[in-house]
């Protein structure tokens, strides 16, 4: 008889997004005529620009010839792709040798959780992308769930609320090993300033912690004085791993492509190189990202690809402005638009109540803020991924609510 992995049954609820889909489907079963609009999971909706799909098409066709066939690729990913991403997004701060191409940010976050093992103490923003908590639980890093505290015993949650402008009080943080930090922040859309990131890096340097910096939405930052990468902060390459993604950058949510940066300067307490151990670990559990996807990624980095993907990012940002304007008339939203999400305080009822209200009265599918952590209670996350037609309709329904 095989025993189950106890860490799996420590998870407190089903994964947030399938739960939203389940409730949406239940509603549709009872109301089959309802024309629902999804402002829910952050999934891109606009087609991938043709210079990029053509590159993937050509790459697929090359595989059909003897001369063009490629099998397993270089483990770290195509050198040219690593160099292009580095030149494009980290020109001053990072060496392409420290970049690892992956099949999406979520997958590498999961692998990092396995890599660090069960003995690390973990901290993260609350609310946060649910994978940070759930993945830490699966990796055995959180201790048991305490029903009275309604929290995991060994997990540090850093409150990010309107009161602290969505940046946690680090002075109260006791020693932790790993700190997840997401900016632009899913779900609040808040972007940490240079000064705030300096504070975070300073904390990590003093306490010898490692930051796992999730920059999946960096390309949505419009304010030029806001940092797009943790490596814009001096000394961050001694304490931070950064995880990036093509998903929201180029509509690759289904294609699957991303990267992680593990700087050579990053060390464990005993002086061992994190990158060296990561290479050893990764070559055992991962065989590289799809070569077709990587050629698509390469096309994204060319001048034509860049200009096309920028247009789509601007399109989603305009969606966000339309939605925010409509929501602002009824509820309280926060921050400037530097992310595809609008974090909205609805009132003192539960987020699931507001989720139901928006579903039943406006036929809008959203995400309840409490699904991202207890500090999300009373909030709703609206996603701005959608066709313009749907976003305008959703804005109208919100105004009529
Ligand atoms: N990091 C953050 C902060 C995210 O919000 C998401 C996707 C990812 C990573 C995943 O990136 P990939 O490169 O596509 O793996 N968040 C979406 C989708 C939900 C999900 O389960 O990943 C969201 O709606 O929050």
């Amino acid at each position: 008889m095989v025993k189950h992995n106890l860490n799996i049954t420590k998870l407190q609820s089903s994964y947030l997004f399938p739960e939203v889909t389940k409730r949406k489907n239940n509603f549709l079963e009872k109301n089959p005529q309802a024309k629902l609009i999804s402002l829910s999971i952050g999934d891109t909706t606009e087609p991938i620009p043709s210079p990029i799909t053509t590159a993937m098409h050509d790459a697929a066709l090359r595989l059909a010839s003897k001369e063009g066939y490629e099998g397993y690729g270089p483990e770290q990913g195509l050198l040219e792709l690593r160099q292009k991403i580095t030149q494009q997004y980290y020109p001053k701060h990072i060496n392409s040798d420290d970049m690892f191409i992956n099949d999406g940010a979520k997958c590498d976050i999961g692998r990092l959780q396995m890599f660090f093992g069960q003995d690390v103490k973990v901290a993260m923003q609350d609310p946060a992308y649910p994978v940070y908590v759930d993945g830490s639980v699966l990796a055995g890093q959180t201790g048991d769930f305490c029903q009275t505290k309604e929290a995991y015993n060994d997990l540090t949650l850093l409150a990010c609320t309107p009161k602290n402008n969505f940046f946690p009080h680090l002075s109260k943080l006791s020693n932790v090993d790993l700190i997840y930090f997401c900016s632009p922040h899913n779900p609040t859309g808040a972007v940490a300033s240079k000064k705030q990131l300096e504070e975070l890096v300073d904390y990590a340097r003093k306490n010898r912690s490692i930051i796992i910096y999730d920059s999946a939405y960096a390309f949505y930052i419009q304010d030029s004085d806001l940092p797009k990468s943790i490596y814009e902060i001096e000394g961050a390459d001694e304490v931070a791993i950064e995880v990036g993604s093509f998903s929201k950058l180029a509509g690759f949510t289904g294609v699957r492509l991303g990267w992680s940066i593990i700087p050579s300067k990053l060390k464990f307490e005993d002086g061992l190189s994190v990158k060296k151990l990561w290479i050893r670990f990764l070559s055992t559990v991962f065989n590289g990202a799809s070569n077709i996807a990587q050629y698509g990624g390469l096309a994204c980095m060319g001048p034509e690809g860049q200009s096309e993907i920028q247009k789509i990012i601007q399109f989603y940002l305009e969606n966000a402005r339309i939605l925010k304007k409509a929501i602002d008339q009824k509820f309280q939203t926060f921050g400037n638009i530097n992310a595809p999400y609008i974090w909205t305080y609805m009132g003192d009822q539960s987020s699931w109540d507001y989720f139901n209200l928006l579903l039943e009265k406006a036929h809008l599918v959203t995400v309840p803020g409490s699904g991202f952590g207890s500090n999300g209670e009373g909030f709703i996350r609206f996603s701005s991924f959608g066709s313009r037609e749907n976003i305008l309709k959703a804005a109208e329904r919100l105004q009529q609510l």
Side-chain angles (χ1 to χ4, degrees):
M1 291 296 281
V2 180
K3 285 195 187 131
H4 76 268
N5 177 345
L6 290 174
N7 292 325
I8 299 179
T9 40
K10 275 187 203 165
L11 291 169
Q12 285 309 293
S13 53
S14 47
Y15 186 60
L16 176 61
F17 298 99
E19 179 64 28
V20 166
T21 308
K22 195 172 101 195
R23 292 186 189 220
K24 176 189 97 176
N25 290 341
N26 286 347
F27 179 81
L28 266 182
E29 230 168 73
K30 290 184 201 133
N31 305 276
Q33 78 301 341
K35 299 250 177 302
L36 297 185
I37 295 175
S38 174
L39 307 174
S40 158
I41 185 165
D43 193 2
T44 44
T45 54
E46 298 310 291
I48 299 173
S50 64
I52 301 163
T53 51
T54 303
M56 289 193 275
H57 175 250
D58 293 350
L61 286 183
R62 281 198 299 276
L63 297 178
S65 70
K66 254 201 166 350
E67 314 72 52
Y69 177 74
E70 288 171 48
Y72 293 127
E75 279 170 9
Q76 257 182 266
L78 294 176
L79 177 61
E80 198 185 348
L81 178 59
R82 288 191 276 127
Q83 288 171 336
K84 285 270 161 65
I85 300 173
T86 311
Q87 280 159 16
Q88 192 69 38
Y89 300 121
Y90 307 96
K92 293 195 209 120
H93 312 287
I94 285 299
N95 185 325
S96 55
D97 277 354
D98 293 348
M99 175 170 294
F100 296 77
I101 303 297
N102 62 35
D103 51 350
K106 186 181 196 170
C107 316
D108 251 7
I109 294 167
R111 285 188 284 261
L112 281 164
Q113 286 159 333
M114 201 201 316
F115 171 71
F116 280 105
Q118 60 181 15
D119 292 330
V120 286
K121 282 185 137 222
V122 177
M124 63 191 62
Q125 294 149 297
D126 176 5
Y129 178 40
V131 167
Y132 310 153
V133 177
D134 288 3
S136 305
V137 174
L138 292 177
Q141 297 161 346
T142 60
D144 288 328
F145 189 80
C146 169
Q147 296 295 346
T148 39
K149 282 195 299 185
E150 285 190 22
Y152 289 97
N153 284 329
D154 299 330
L155 180 67
T156 305
L157 295 174
L158 305 166
C160 293
T161 66
K163 274 198 191 137
N164 59 17
N165 235 339
F166 302 105
F167 187 79
H169 295 296
L170 297 177
S171 54
K172 290 185 193 148
L173 182 56
S174 63
N175 268 353
V176 289
D177 301 309
L178 295 183
I179 309 168
Y180 289 85
F181 197 89
C182 179
S183 178
H185 181 217
N186 177 14
T188 69
V191 184
S193 67
K194 190 147 192 257
K195 194 162 165 284
Q196 289 171 327
L197 286 190
E198 277 166 359
E199 201 187 309
L200 181 67
V201 168
D202 192 48
Y203 174 90
R205 285 169 69 99
K206 283 195 182 121
N207 293 280
R208 309 192 65 189
S209 319
I210 292 179
I211 301 162
I212 298 182
Y213 188 82
D214 187 337
S215 64
Y217 302 99
F219 323 97
Y220 287 79
I221 297 177
Q222 298 300 292
D223 298 354
S224 54
D225 53 340
L226 291 173
K228 292 193 170 126
S229 160
I230 186 93
Y231 302 118
E232 290 178 37
I233 310 304
E234 217 184 305
D237 57 351
E238 291 168 21
V239 289
I241 288 170
E242 183 165 313
V243 183
S245 171
F246 278 82
S247 284
K248 318 296 158 78
L249 170 65
F252 273 32
T253 49
V255 174
R256 309 303 303 146
L257 195 67
W259 64 89
S260 292
I261 297 165
I262 319 269
S264 305
K265 285 188 187 165
L266 200 61
K267 300 274 189 280
F268 284 108
E269 56 158 32
D270 55 5
L272 276 179
S273 153
V274 175
K275 180 178 158 187
K276 243 188 180 159
L277 291 201
W278 175 249
I279 292 172
R280 177 66 189 86
F281 166 85
L282 201 63
S283 54
T284 306
V285 299
F286 185 54
N287 255 341
S290 145
N291 45 18
I292 299 173
Q294 292 191 70
Y295 286 111
L298 210 45
C300 294
M301 294 297 127
E304 215 182 340
Q306 277 290 306
S307 111
E308 293 293 324
I309 58 183
Q310 271 308 321
K311 280 187 220 155
I312 299 179
I313 289 173
Q314 290 305 324
F315 172 85
Y316 291 132
L317 286 168
E318 181 57 19
N319 279 354
R321 282 180 212 109
I322 294 169
L323 274 180
K324 181 175 160 70
K325 204 167 152 204
I327 301 167
D328 273 339
Q329 293 177 23
K330 306 262 162 146
F331 307 104
Q332 192 185 1
T333 65
F334 296 90
N336 295 334
I337 292 184
N338 286 299
Y341 301 124
I342 297 153
W343 188 238
T344 306
Y345 182 66
M346 304 288 290
D348 55 14
Q349 287 178 50
S350 84
S351 294
W352 279 113
D353 285 346
Y354 292 114
F355 171 88
N356 288 335
L357 175 95
L358 289 161
L359 185 60
E360 284 159 21
K361 301 280 184 253
H363 292 180
L364 297 177
V365 190
T366 56
V367 188
S370 56
F372 299 95
S374 61
N375 281 299
E377 194 59 278
F379 287 82
I380 285 285
R381 189 192 80 174
F382 291 90
S383 153
S384 65
F385 294 112
S387 67
R388 184 58 49 77
E389 191 191 350
N390 273 351
I391 294 293
L392 288 169
K393 263 192 217 153
E396 207 177 295
R397 291 184 195 175
L398 283 161
Q399 278 161 343
Q400 284 163 6
L401 190 70

